[in-house]
Amino acid sequence: MSKCDQCIVREFSSLKALNKDELLKLSDCKTSHTIKKGEVIFEEGENINGIYCVKDGICKLTKLSPNGKDHIVKLIKKGELLGQRSMISDEPVNLSAVALEDMEVCFIPKSEVMGFFDKNNQFSMNVMKTICSDLKDSDDHMVSMAQKSVKERLAETLIYLEETFGKNVDGSLVIQLSREELSGMIGTATESCIRLLSDFNKLGLIELSGKKIVLKDINKLKKIAE
């Protein structure tokens, strides 16, 4: 089991503010877990009493809408932390986290993290900045959902997927979402999403091959997204 002070992913999150002693303390109390693709890390309404540090892999944060459809709120990648907000607000998590691929995560108990929060000013500032950044993203997303058409949102999401998670050697998006997941991300019915993807394909903006999506004309997609 790797020690936190030798783990490179700590540099990507609030944990980068911790000193060597604190990192050694973290190593002693954390537990490492392998999460298989499709497995749930935590469910909406659960008390998780700590935070998860994503060492490898990607998961989706989802919210169940009244009609029973999963809405993807955010995708979380290697180096990010899960559960910071519910830990600070002392509330159950309001989203579910599900692995999109095999993952390695470390769980750090709340009692330890709150100790760092009290003693390490930079760490607490980093956590607050992350939560503020999430709030800003949430505001932007809400405005986008209210003011942009589904077509604009799909173009925006495809660009986000390529810019954030990259593409494979064959040019396809690294993140392979099902049509249902993609529709849950842009907030529309699966049929509408499939129809729009087909339109984008016919226009030569993207290329479809099974679940794979290749973005062929980023500039035109950006124009649509704007």
Side-chain angles (χ1 to χ4, degrees), residues 31-76:
T31 49
S32 300
H33 306 269
T34 300
I35 316 277
K36 292 283 171 208
K37 180 180 177 174
E39 277 183 8
V40 175
I41 303 170
F42 53 74
E43 281 189 1
E44 195 176 327
E46 225 179 279
N47 282 304
I48 58 173
N49 295 317
I51 56 173
Y52 289 91
C53 176
V54 178
K55 198 173 174 191
D56 206 14
I58 295 161
C59 70
K60 58 180 179 178
L61 289 178
T62 65
K63 187 139 188 84
L64 203 58
S65 61
N67 66 6
K69 190 174 164 71
D70 260 340
H71 183 80
I72 297 183
V73 175
K74 196 177 179 197
L75 298 176
I76 298 287

Short mmCIF file of all heavy atoms in Angstrom, two decimals, residues 31-76:
data_model
loop_
_atom_site.label_atom_id
_atom_site.label_comp_id
_atom_site.label_asym_id
_atom_site.label_seq_id
_atom_site.Cartn_x
_atom_site.Cartn_y
_atom_site.Cartn_z
N THR A 31 -7.91 4.05 4.12
CA THR A 31 -8.08 2.68 3.63
C THR A 31 -8.20 2.74 2.12
O THR A 31 -8.85 3.64 1.58
CB THR A 31 -9.35 2.02 4.22
OG1 THR A 31 -10.45 2.92 4.06
CG2 THR A 31 -9.18 1.68 5.68
N SER A 32 -7.54 1.81 1.42
CA SER A 32 -7.56 1.81 -0.05
C SER A 32 -8.59 0.80 -0.55
O SER A 32 -8.74 -0.28 0.02
CB SER A 32 -6.18 1.45 -0.59
OG SER A 32 -5.24 2.41 -0.13
N HIS A 33 -9.27 1.18 -1.62
CA HIS A 33 -10.32 0.32 -2.18
C HIS A 33 -10.23 0.25 -3.70
O HIS A 33 -9.95 1.27 -4.34
CB HIS A 33 -11.72 0.85 -1.82
CG HIS A 33 -11.91 1.06 -0.35
ND1 HIS A 33 -12.40 0.10 0.49
CD2 HIS A 33 -11.65 2.15 0.44
CE1 HIS A 33 -12.45 0.58 1.73
NE2 HIS A 33 -11.99 1.82 1.72
N THR A 34 -10.50 -0.92 -4.25
CA THR A 34 -10.63 -1.06 -5.70
C THR A 34 -12.11 -1.11 -6.01
O THR A 34 -12.84 -1.92 -5.44
CB THR A 34 -9.94 -2.36 -6.18
OG1 THR A 34 -8.55 -2.29 -5.84
CG2 THR A 34 -10.05 -2.51 -7.68
N ILE A 35 -12.55 -0.20 -6.86
CA ILE A 35 -13.97 -0.15 -7.24
C ILE A 35 -14.09 -0.58 -8.69
O ILE A 35 -13.41 -0.03 -9.56
CB ILE A 35 -14.54 1.29 -7.09
CG1 ILE A 35 -14.10 1.95 -5.77
CG2 ILE A 35 -16.04 1.32 -7.29
CD1 ILE A 35 -14.89 1.62 -4.57
N LYS A 36 -14.91 -1.56 -8.97
CA LYS A 36 -15.08 -2.05 -10.34
C LYS A 36 -16.03 -1.15 -11.12
O LYS A 36 -16.92 -0.51 -10.55
CB LYS A 36 -15.64 -3.49 -10.32
CG LYS A 36 -14.65 -4.52 -9.77
CD LYS A 36 -13.61 -4.86 -10.81
CE LYS A 36 -12.49 -5.70 -10.26
NZ LYS A 36 -11.24 -5.50 -10.97
N LYS A 37 -15.84 -1.13 -12.44
CA LYS A 37 -16.71 -0.35 -13.32
C LYS A 37 -18.18 -0.68 -13.03
O LYS A 37 -18.55 -1.85 -12.94
CB LYS A 37 -16.37 -0.70 -14.78
CG LYS A 37 -17.20 0.04 -15.80
CD LYS A 37 -16.82 -0.35 -17.21
CE LYS A 37 -17.73 0.37 -18.20
NZ LYS A 37 -17.35 0.16 -19.59
N GLY A 38 -18.99 0.38 -12.86
CA GLY A 38 -20.42 0.18 -12.60
C GLY A 38 -20.77 0.09 -11.12
O GLY A 38 -21.94 0.18 -10.74
N GLU A 39 -19.75 -0.08 -10.26
CA GLU A 39 -20.02 -0.17 -8.82
C GLU A 39 -20.27 1.21 -8.21
O GLU A 39 -19.72 2.21 -8.68
CB GLU A 39 -18.84 -0.84 -8.09
CG GLU A 39 -18.90 -2.35 -8.14
CD GLU A 39 -17.76 -3.02 -7.35
OE1 GLU A 39 -17.00 -2.34 -6.63
OE2 GLU A 39 -17.65 -4.24 -7.49
N VAL A 40 -21.08 1.22 -7.16
CA VAL A 40 -21.42 2.47 -6.47
C VAL A 40 -20.40 2.73 -5.36
O VAL A 40 -20.08 1.84 -4.59
CB VAL A 40 -22.84 2.35 -5.87
CG1 VAL A 40 -23.19 3.57 -5.03
CG2 VAL A 40 -23.87 2.17 -6.98
N ILE A 41 -19.87 3.95 -5.31
CA ILE A 41 -18.95 4.33 -4.23
C ILE A 41 -19.78 4.78 -3.02
O ILE A 41 -19.53 4.39 -1.90
CB ILE A 41 -17.97 5.43 -4.68
CG1 ILE A 41 -17.18 4.97 -5.91
CG2 ILE A 41 -17.01 5.82 -3.56
CD1 ILE A 41 -16.37 6.05 -6.59
N PHE A 42 -20.77 5.65 -3.29
CA PHE A 42 -21.75 6.00 -2.26
C PHE A 42 -23.04 6.42 -2.95
O PHE A 42 -23.05 6.76 -4.12
CB PHE A 42 -21.25 7.08 -1.30
CG PHE A 42 -20.74 8.34 -1.95
CD1 PHE A 42 -21.61 9.27 -2.51
CD2 PHE A 42 -19.38 8.62 -1.99
CE1 PHE A 42 -21.13 10.45 -3.11
CE2 PHE A 42 -18.89 9.79 -2.58
CZ PHE A 42 -19.78 10.69 -3.14
N GLU A 43 -24.13 6.36 -2.18
CA GLU A 43 -25.44 6.70 -2.74
C GLU A 43 -26.01 7.95 -2.10
O GLU A 43 -25.76 8.23 -0.92
CB GLU A 43 -26.42 5.53 -2.55
CG GLU A 43 -26.20 4.43 -3.57
CD GLU A 43 -27.29 3.36 -3.55
OE1 GLU A 43 -28.23 3.48 -2.74
OE2 GLU A 43 -27.16 2.41 -4.32
N GLU A 44 -26.77 8.68 -2.89
CA GLU A 44 -27.46 9.89 -2.44
C GLU A 44 -28.18 9.61 -1.11
O GLU A 44 -28.87 8.60 -0.98
CB GLU A 44 -28.50 10.23 -3.53
CG GLU A 44 -29.10 11.58 -3.47
CD GLU A 44 -30.03 11.84 -4.67
OE1 GLU A 44 -29.77 11.32 -5.78
OE2 GLU A 44 -31.01 12.56 -4.48
N GLY A 45 -27.98 10.47 -0.12
CA GLY A 45 -28.66 10.30 1.17
C GLY A 45 -27.83 9.54 2.20
O GLY A 45 -28.21 9.43 3.37
N GLU A 46 -26.69 9.03 1.76
CA GLU A 46 -25.81 8.26 2.68
C GLU A 46 -24.96 9.20 3.54
O GLU A 46 -24.57 10.27 3.09
CB GLU A 46 -24.87 7.41 1.81
CG GLU A 46 -24.70 5.98 2.26
CD GLU A 46 -23.76 5.22 1.32
OE1 GLU A 46 -24.19 4.76 0.24
OE2 GLU A 46 -22.58 5.09 1.68
N ASN A 47 -24.64 8.78 4.73
CA ASN A 47 -23.66 9.50 5.55
C ASN A 47 -22.32 8.83 5.33
O ASN A 47 -22.15 7.67 5.70
CB ASN A 47 -24.04 9.42 7.04
CG ASN A 47 -25.15 10.40 7.38
OD1 ASN A 47 -25.04 11.59 7.14
ND2 ASN A 47 -26.24 9.88 7.90
N ILE A 48 -21.38 9.51 4.70
CA ILE A 48 -20.12 8.81 4.38
C ILE A 48 -19.01 9.06 5.41
O ILE A 48 -18.04 8.33 5.47
CB ILE A 48 -19.62 9.09 2.94
CG1 ILE A 48 -19.41 10.58 2.68
CG2 ILE A 48 -20.54 8.48 1.92
CD1 ILE A 48 -18.76 10.88 1.34
N ASN A 49 -19.19 10.10 6.24
CA ASN A 49 -18.25 10.35 7.35
C ASN A 49 -16.77 10.35 6.95
O ASN A 49 -15.94 9.73 7.61
CB ASN A 49 -18.48 9.34 8.49
CG ASN A 49 -19.84 9.54 9.11
OD1 ASN A 49 -20.25 10.67 9.35
ND2 ASN A 49 -20.56 8.47 9.33
N GLY A 50 -16.47 11.03 5.86
CA GLY A 50 -15.08 11.13 5.42
C GLY A 50 -15.03 11.60 3.98
O GLY A 50 -16.04 12.02 3.42
N ILE A 51 -13.84 11.53 3.40
CA ILE A 51 -13.71 11.89 1.98
C ILE A 51 -12.98 10.77 1.23
O ILE A 51 -12.23 10.01 1.82
CB ILE A 51 -12.96 13.24 1.77
CG1 ILE A 51 -11.57 13.22 2.44
CG2 ILE A 51 -13.79 14.41 2.24
CD1 ILE A 51 -10.72 14.44 2.13
N TYR A 52 -13.24 10.71 -0.05
CA TYR A 52 -12.55 9.75 -0.92
C TYR A 52 -11.57 10.52 -1.80
O TYR A 52 -11.93 11.54 -2.38
CB TYR A 52 -13.55 9.02 -1.82
CG TYR A 52 -14.41 8.02 -1.11
CD1 TYR A 52 -15.66 8.40 -0.58
CD2 TYR A 52 -14.01 6.69 -0.96
CE1 TYR A 52 -16.46 7.49 0.08
CE2 TYR A 52 -14.81 5.77 -0.31
CZ TYR A 52 -16.04 6.17 0.21
OH TYR A 52 -16.83 5.26 0.86
N CYS A 53 -10.36 10.03 -1.89
CA CYS A 53 -9.37 10.59 -2.81
C CYS A 53 -9.29 9.62 -3.99
O CYS A 53 -9.05 8.42 -3.80
CB CYS A 53 -8.01 10.70 -2.11
SG CYS A 53 -6.70 11.28 -3.21
N VAL A 54 -9.52 10.14 -5.20
CA VAL A 54 -9.50 9.28 -6.39
C VAL A 54 -8.06 9.12 -6.87
O VAL A 54 -7.44 10.07 -7.34
CB VAL A 54 -10.39 9.86 -7.52
CG1 VAL A 54 -10.33 8.98 -8.75
CG2 VAL A 54 -11.83 10.02 -7.03
N LYS A 55 -7.55 7.91 -6.71
CA LYS A 55 -6.16 7.63 -7.08
C LYS A 55 -6.05 7.27 -8.56
O LYS A 55 -5.06 7.56 -9.22
CB LYS A 55 -5.62 6.49 -6.21
CG LYS A 55 -4.12 6.41 -6.21
CD LYS A 55 -3.62 5.38 -5.23
CE LYS A 55 -2.12 5.23 -5.37
NZ LYS A 55 -1.60 4.10 -4.64
N ASP A 56 -7.11 6.62 -9.07
CA ASP A 56 -7.12 6.26 -10.49
C ASP A 56 -8.56 6.01 -10.93
O ASP A 56 -9.39 5.54 -10.15
CB ASP A 56 -6.28 5.00 -10.72
CG ASP A 56 -5.74 4.95 -12.15
OD1 ASP A 56 -5.80 5.98 -12.84
OD2 ASP A 56 -5.30 3.87 -12.57
N GLY A 57 -8.83 6.32 -12.20
CA GLY A 57 -10.16 6.06 -12.75
C GLY A 57 -11.06 7.27 -12.72
O GLY A 57 -10.69 8.34 -12.24
N ILE A 58 -12.28 7.09 -13.24
CA ILE A 58 -13.24 8.17 -13.37
C ILE A 58 -14.60 7.70 -12.85
O ILE A 58 -14.99 6.55 -13.08
CB ILE A 58 -13.37 8.61 -14.86
CG1 ILE A 58 -12.05 9.21 -15.35
CG2 ILE A 58 -14.50 9.61 -15.06
CD1 ILE A 58 -11.91 9.25 -16.85
N CYS A 59 -15.31 8.59 -12.16
CA CYS A 59 -16.67 8.24 -11.74
C CYS A 59 -17.63 9.37 -12.11
O CYS A 59 -17.22 10.48 -12.39
CB CYS A 59 -16.73 7.92 -10.25
SG CYS A 59 -16.51 9.34 -9.17
N LYS A 60 -18.90 9.02 -12.12
CA LYS A 60 -19.92 10.04 -12.39
C LYS A 60 -20.66 10.35 -11.10
O LYS A 60 -20.89 9.46 -10.26
CB LYS A 60 -20.90 9.56 -13.47
CG LYS A 60 -21.62 8.26 -13.13
CD LYS A 60 -22.58 7.82 -14.23
CE LYS A 60 -23.26 6.49 -13.86
NZ LYS A 60 -24.23 6.05 -14.87
N LEU A 61 -20.99 11.62 -10.90
CA LEU A 61 -21.82 12.04 -9.77
C LEU A 61 -23.22 12.26 -10.33
O LEU A 61 -23.40 13.06 -11.26
CB LEU A 61 -21.29 13.34 -9.15
CG LEU A 61 -19.99 13.22 -8.35
CD1 LEU A 61 -19.56 14.58 -7.83
CD2 LEU A 61 -20.11 12.23 -7.20
N THR A 62 -24.19 11.53 -9.80
CA THR A 62 -25.53 11.60 -10.37
C THR A 62 -26.57 11.99 -9.31
O THR A 62 -26.38 11.77 -8.12
CB THR A 62 -25.96 10.25 -10.99
OG1 THR A 62 -26.05 9.27 -9.95
CG2 THR A 62 -24.96 9.78 -12.03
N LYS A 63 -27.68 12.55 -9.81
CA LYS A 63 -28.82 12.88 -8.95
C LYS A 63 -30.05 12.27 -9.60
O LYS A 63 -30.24 12.38 -10.80
CB LYS A 63 -28.96 14.40 -8.83
CG LYS A 63 -30.00 14.81 -7.82
CD LYS A 63 -29.51 16.01 -7.00
CE LYS A 63 -30.46 16.31 -5.85
NZ LYS A 63 -30.24 15.54 -4.65
N LEU A 64 -30.86 11.63 -8.78
CA LEU A 64 -32.07 11.01 -9.29
C LEU A 64 -33.16 12.07 -9.40
O LEU A 64 -33.47 12.74 -8.42
CB LEU A 64 -32.50 9.89 -8.33
CG LEU A 64 -33.38 8.78 -8.88
CD1 LEU A 64 -32.70 8.07 -10.05
CD2 LEU A 64 -33.71 7.77 -7.80
N SER A 65 -33.70 12.23 -10.61
CA SER A 65 -34.76 13.23 -10.79
C SER A 65 -36.10 12.60 -10.42
O SER A 65 -36.22 11.38 -10.35
CB SER A 65 -34.76 13.73 -12.24
OG SER A 65 -35.02 12.65 -13.11
N PRO A 66 -37.14 13.43 -10.20
CA PRO A 66 -38.45 12.89 -9.79
C PRO A 66 -39.00 11.83 -10.76
O PRO A 66 -39.73 10.95 -10.35
CB PRO A 66 -39.35 14.13 -9.77
CG PRO A 66 -38.41 15.27 -9.54
CD PRO A 66 -37.14 14.89 -10.23
N ASN A 67 -38.63 11.94 -12.05
CA ASN A 67 -39.14 10.94 -13.01
C ASN A 67 -38.31 9.64 -13.03
O ASN A 67 -38.50 8.77 -13.87
CB ASN A 67 -39.23 11.56 -14.42
CG ASN A 67 -37.86 11.90 -15.00
OD1 ASN A 67 -36.82 11.59 -14.39
ND2 ASN A 67 -37.83 12.53 -16.16
N GLY A 68 -37.36 9.55 -12.08
CA GLY A 68 -36.59 8.30 -11.95
C GLY A 68 -35.39 8.21 -12.88
O GLY A 68 -34.74 7.17 -12.96
N LYS A 69 -35.07 9.32 -13.58
CA LYS A 69 -33.92 9.32 -14.49
C LYS A 69 -32.68 9.86 -13.76
O LYS A 69 -32.77 10.83 -13.02
CB LYS A 69 -34.24 10.19 -15.71
CG LYS A 69 -33.22 10.10 -16.84
CD LYS A 69 -33.72 10.88 -18.05
CE LYS A 69 -32.64 11.16 -19.07
NZ LYS A 69 -32.18 10.03 -19.83
N ASP A 70 -31.55 9.21 -14.00
CA ASP A 70 -30.29 9.67 -13.40
C ASP A 70 -29.74 10.86 -14.18
O ASP A 70 -29.52 10.75 -15.39
CB ASP A 70 -29.24 8.54 -13.44
CG ASP A 70 -29.13 7.84 -12.10
OD1 ASP A 70 -29.54 8.43 -11.10
OD2 ASP A 70 -28.64 6.70 -12.07
N HIS A 71 -29.54 11.95 -13.49
CA HIS A 71 -28.97 13.13 -14.15
C HIS A 71 -27.50 13.23 -13.74
O HIS A 71 -27.19 13.28 -12.55
CB HIS A 71 -29.73 14.39 -13.73
CG HIS A 71 -29.25 15.62 -14.42
ND1 HIS A 71 -29.63 15.94 -15.71
CD2 HIS A 71 -28.38 16.58 -14.03
CE1 HIS A 71 -29.02 17.06 -16.06
NE2 HIS A 71 -28.25 17.47 -15.07
N ILE A 72 -26.59 13.22 -14.72
CA ILE A 72 -25.16 13.33 -14.40
C ILE A 72 -24.82 14.79 -14.13
O ILE A 72 -24.95 15.65 -14.99
CB ILE A 72 -24.27 12.76 -15.53
CG1 ILE A 72 -24.54 11.27 -15.71
CG2 ILE A 72 -22.79 12.99 -15.21
CD1 ILE A 72 -23.67 10.57 -16.75
N VAL A 73 -24.41 15.05 -12.90
CA VAL A 73 -24.10 16.42 -12.47
C VAL A 73 -22.64 16.75 -12.80
O VAL A 73 -22.31 17.85 -13.22
CB VAL A 73 -24.36 16.58 -10.96
CG1 VAL A 73 -23.93 17.94 -10.46
CG2 VAL A 73 -25.82 16.32 -10.65
N LYS A 74 -21.76 15.77 -12.62
CA LYS A 74 -20.33 16.03 -12.82
C LYS A 74 -19.59 14.72 -13.01
O LYS A 74 -20.03 13.67 -12.54
CB LYS A 74 -19.80 16.74 -11.55
CG LYS A 74 -18.46 17.40 -11.76
CD LYS A 74 -17.99 18.15 -10.53
CE LYS A 74 -16.62 18.78 -10.79
NZ LYS A 74 -15.92 19.18 -9.62
N LEU A 75 -18.46 14.80 -13.70
CA LEU A 75 -17.55 13.66 -13.81
C LEU A 75 -16.31 13.97 -12.98
O LEU A 75 -15.80 15.08 -13.02
CB LEU A 75 -17.17 13.40 -15.27
CG LEU A 75 -18.33 13.05 -16.21
CD1 LEU A 75 -17.83 12.91 -17.64
CD2 LEU A 75 -19.03 11.77 -15.79
N ILE A 76 -15.85 12.99 -12.23
CA ILE A 76 -14.70 13.17 -11.33
C ILE A 76 -13.56 12.30 -11.80
O ILE A 76 -13.74 11.11 -12.07
CB ILE A 76 -15.10 12.77 -9.88
CG1 ILE A 76 -16.24 13.67 -9.37
CG2 ILE A 76 -13.91 12.81 -8.94
CD1 ILE A 76 -15.85 15.08 -9.02
#
